[in-house]
Amino acid sequence: MSSPTRRTVLRGLALAAAATAVPLPAFASSLAPAGYVPPLRQMRGMWIASVVNINWPSKTGLTADQQKAEYLAWLDLAQARKLNAVFVQIRPTADAFWPSPFEPWSQYLTGTQGQDPGYDPLAFLVEETHKRGLAFHAWFNPYRVSMQPDPAKLHPDHPGRKHPDWVIPYGGKLYYNPGMPEVRAFVQDAMMDAVTRYDIDGLHFDDYFYPVNTAAFDDSAAFAQHGQGFPDLAAWRRNNVDLLVQEMQQRVRRAKPEIAWGISPSGIWRNKATDPLGSETSGGQSYDSLHADTRGWVKKGWLDYIAPQIYWYIGQSNADYAKLIPWWSAVAAGTGTQLWIGQAAYKAGAAGQPAEWFRPSELTDHLALNRNHPEVGGDIWYNANDVREDRLGSVSTTVTDHYTRPALGPLLPRLADGHAPRRPVLASAHRGNGGTELHIVATGRDTPFQYAIYRLDRPARSEDFADARNLVAVVPAGRHARWTDPAGAKGAYYYVTAVDRANRQSPPSQGRRVHW
């Protein structure tokens, strides 16, 4: 994903530490600022990268059971950090983490492209993620074909071998040519195969479209064939990416209208010195260097969410976090496009970073600043290794400061009026050895995805369910579910709502008061 540091990582620096569970600091609620109301809904995600085995699998050649154990440890970490979603890279280089009829098995599973890993990783990932009550967003890279430059090293059945005219070598890598309509249709087909066959919650792109600084990217033949009517090469390239984004929205809406479709672009659209609509920055511009009109996509309503990678510290001279958040908030305001922020956990306390990234409070200060901008609906952390390593305690400090209550996932505005689940029955609430034990029963034909549990010291009013002040847990649902509140006390009132996969919430159950 974006920034020179991150691109260096993706050129081959694989952080291959085994993804085993680590001891995590106890979660303790901090005092929120006066007047702060914890939101009922908030994106709390992390990226789990597979390219060059950055996160998962930690290395090639692991057995299926070892790969599964590693992934379960990442889910343990997500829950320990109070997250509610994971963004898992399942098509890193025109390959697949599922048995795809379009592209070969990924080499990052077994070490050999095209080799069957002995199980269906994507089916496993989705099922286990949902068992935890977490959302699974499938992360795709649309055009990158290989992290090396030799087409002959691709699997013999790889589409890039069958259609060598589709592939352009550039910068030590191989790319599909975004300017060829048949390529654009093919990569959509390859990604939609996963969307239609698996029970994913979102389709996600990162910031890679055209490679950076594409002066030597030889797409002149495609431009000659398809570029009529455009003033220059850059405008034609930008239109190619626009078509991909617009067409993906259309295809996702037709196939799975209740999943989220979004992109995590580089954090700078254009600098104000280049364009008066741009941000007060002087960094790389995605509009120009990647041919990605990220602001335009939001304004045209082509995305459910945008998650700009604002990987800079507060006060940075060329790209100030404190200036980019209000800029992106203004872009998203009134559009219906959700705004989530990509956070650079990988920079906090990392060797070679500026001194500002050694402030233990840098990341928690980011989320504190976000609170002043209601358009910001949450954050996604890059990457899972850094969320686990927690250098300087910066991630756990942020969790303690800002994730003081659980949160439901975001509700897309276009789905808000859909059919909510039926309210559950809170069959019982009584004191046990470990706290207050609740028994919850589903009432509708469809089993909910989650139950949201609220605790009050008095009978509830309707407004008590509008935010998270009284929300004590969000748990995976079932026809019958049991949950114990270790902090429950005699006299407390409990209510439960059912939540579906689109994060629509039912009316609350009848209340139960704990009498003993």
Side-chain angles (χ1 to χ4, degrees):
M1 300 175 81
S2 190
S3 86
T5 300
R6 191 159 185 183
R7 291 186 181 276
T8 300
V9 170
L10 291 181
R11 280 194 290 267
L13 179 58
L15 303 177
T20 53
V22 297
L24 296 166
F27 181 73
S29 296
S30 65
L31 293 175
Y36 174 69
V37 178
L40 178 65
R41 303 179 181 281
Q42 189 174 48
M43 168 50 66
R44 300 177 182 175
M46 73 176 178
W47 279 290
I48 300 177
S50 62
V51 68
V52 296
N53 300 104
I54 289 175
N55 296 142
W56 183 83
S58 65
K59 58 184 177 182
T60 57
L62 298 176
T63 67
D65 285 344
Q66 288 171 326
Q67 291 181 7
K68 291 177 180 181
E70 282 196 349
Y71 185 72
L72 295 179
W74 288 126
L75 296 182
D76 290 343
L77 176 71
Q79 291 185 294
R81 296 292 193 230
K82 309 301 179 185
L83 307 181
N84 55 23
V86 291
F87 292 72
V88 184
Q89 192 174 32
I90 62 166
R91 184 183 180 268
T93 52
D95 51 14
F97 274 56
W98 72 98
S100 167
F102 296 94
E103 293 172 317
W105 284 107
S106 176
Q107 72 186 75
Y108 302 118
L109 290 166
T110 63
T112 302
Q113 191 172 70
Q115 183 175 325
D116 190 329
Y119 73 115
D120 184 339
L122 183 53
F124 172 80
L125 300 174
V126 172
E127 180 180 3
E128 292 300 324
T129 303
H130 287 162
K131 281 181 183 178
R132 309 291 187 99
L134 301 171
F136 184 93
H137 292 256
W139 167 15
F140 302 84
N141 187 288
Y143 288 127
R144 185 173 58 209
V145 172
S146 178
M147 299 296 284
Q148 58 80 37
D150 185 0
K153 292 183 179 179
L154 299 174
H155 188 273
D157 294 330
H158 194 287
R161 294 281 295 274
K162 295 180 177 180
H163 304 277
D165 56 316
W166 288 7
V167 177
I168 296 177
Y170 177 80
K173 301 182 182 68
L174 299 174
Y175 296 88
Y176 282 138
N177 186 346
M180 301 178 70
E182 58 268 40
V183 166
R184 191 173 70 249
F186 173 81
V187 299
Q188 291 177 21
D189 289 344
M191 293 183 285
M192 288 302 299
D193 180 61
V195 172
T196 55
R197 291 171 54 198
Y198 295 85
D199 195 18
I200 65 176
D201 300 294
L203 186 155
H204 179 79
F205 286 178
D206 58 23
D207 58 325
Y208 288 106
F209 297 97
Y210 281 87
V212 174
N213 301 324
T214 46
F217 189 78
D218 187 9
D219 54 356
S220 56
F223 181 51
Q225 184 176 359
H226 302 291
Q228 297 84 0
F230 291 92
D232 54 35
L233 179 65
W236 171 71
R237 285 175 171 173
R238 206 149 29 242
N239 184 68
N240 294 331
V241 180
D242 278 355
L243 287 172
L244 174 70
V245 173
Q246 186 180 26
E247 290 167 3
M248 284 306 304
Q249 181 202 47
Q250 294 166 353
R251 295 189 65 167
V252 171
R253 294 274 179 96
R254 285 196 300 267
K256 289 260 186 91
E258 293 202 347
I259 74 169
W261 148 240
I263 296 177
S264 176
S266 174
I268 297 174
W269 170 70
R270 299 192 96 185
N271 300 311
K272 197 167 187 177
T274 305
D275 190 317
L277 295 175
S279 51
E280 293 184 40
T281 50
S282 56
Q285 306 172 111
S286 64
Y287 182 93
D288 303 275
S289 62
L290 298 168
H291 306 289
D293 184 10
T294 55
R295 180 184 181 277
W297 304 338
V298 174
K299 294 298 187 181
K300 294 170 185 174
W302 291 349
L303 303 172
D304 288 322
Y305 69 85
I306 195 161
Q309 299 167 30
I310 307 186
Y311 290 168
W312 301 286
Y313 57 81
I314 293 172
Q316 187 163 330
S317 60
N318 64 328
D320 185 348
Y321 185 94
K323 292 181 178 179
L324 280 160
I325 290 296
W327 187 87
W328 277 105
S329 296
V331 169
T335 65
T337 303
Q338 303 261 308
L339 174 62
W340 309 333
I341 305 302
Q343 296 287 353
Y346 76 99
K347 287 188 173 181
Q353 293 296 332
E356 289 81 359
W357 282 109
F358 285 82
R359 296 189 300 227
S361 66
E362 181 64 33
L363 291 176
T364 192
D365 289 346
H366 287 195
L367 271 66
L369 189 151
N370 292 358
R371 288 180 176 181
N372 297 322
H373 299 277
E375 294 83 7
V376 177
D379 303 271
I380 313 173
W381 299 90
Y382 187 81
N383 65 51
N385 277 331
D386 305 286
V387 172
R388 181 183 64 200
E389 288 182 25
D390 191 25
R391 291 177 299 273
L392 310 177
S394 58
V395 173
S396 55
T397 295
T398 305
V399 168
T400 299
D401 288 348
H402 297 281
Y403 297 167
T404 59
R405 292 287 184 179
L408 304 182
L411 176 60
L412 302 179
R414 64 181 176 83
L415 301 179
D417 295 330
H419 183 66
R422 293 186 61 182
R423 73 177 192 166
V425 170
L426 180 52
S428 64
H430 61 267
R431 293 288 294 165
N433 291 334
T436 299
E437 299 174 358
L438 307 186
H439 177 202
I440 309 161
V441 181
T443 58
R445 182 178 61 183
D446 298 327
T447 302
F449 179 49
Q450 300 166 326
Y451 292 125
I453 301 169
Y454 297 81
R455 183 185 69 226
L456 297 91
D457 59 6
R458 53 166 174 77
R461 300 182 289 266
S462 58
E463 59 267 27
D464 291 321
F465 304 97
D467 54 56
R469 278 177 289 195
N470 304 302
L471 183 64
V472 293
V474 178
V475 300
R479 301 305 302 176
H480 290 264
R482 297 182 184 275
W483 180 76
T484 299
D485 181 6
K490 181 179 178 181
Y493 292 81
Y494 287 88
Y495 299 81
V496 179
T497 63
V499 181
D500 68 11
R501 289 276 298 286
N503 298 315
R504 290 178 291 243
Q505 183 176 218
S506 76
S509 69
Q510 84 288 3
R512 289 272 182 189
R513 190 182 187 193
V514 181
H515 292 288
W516 66 90

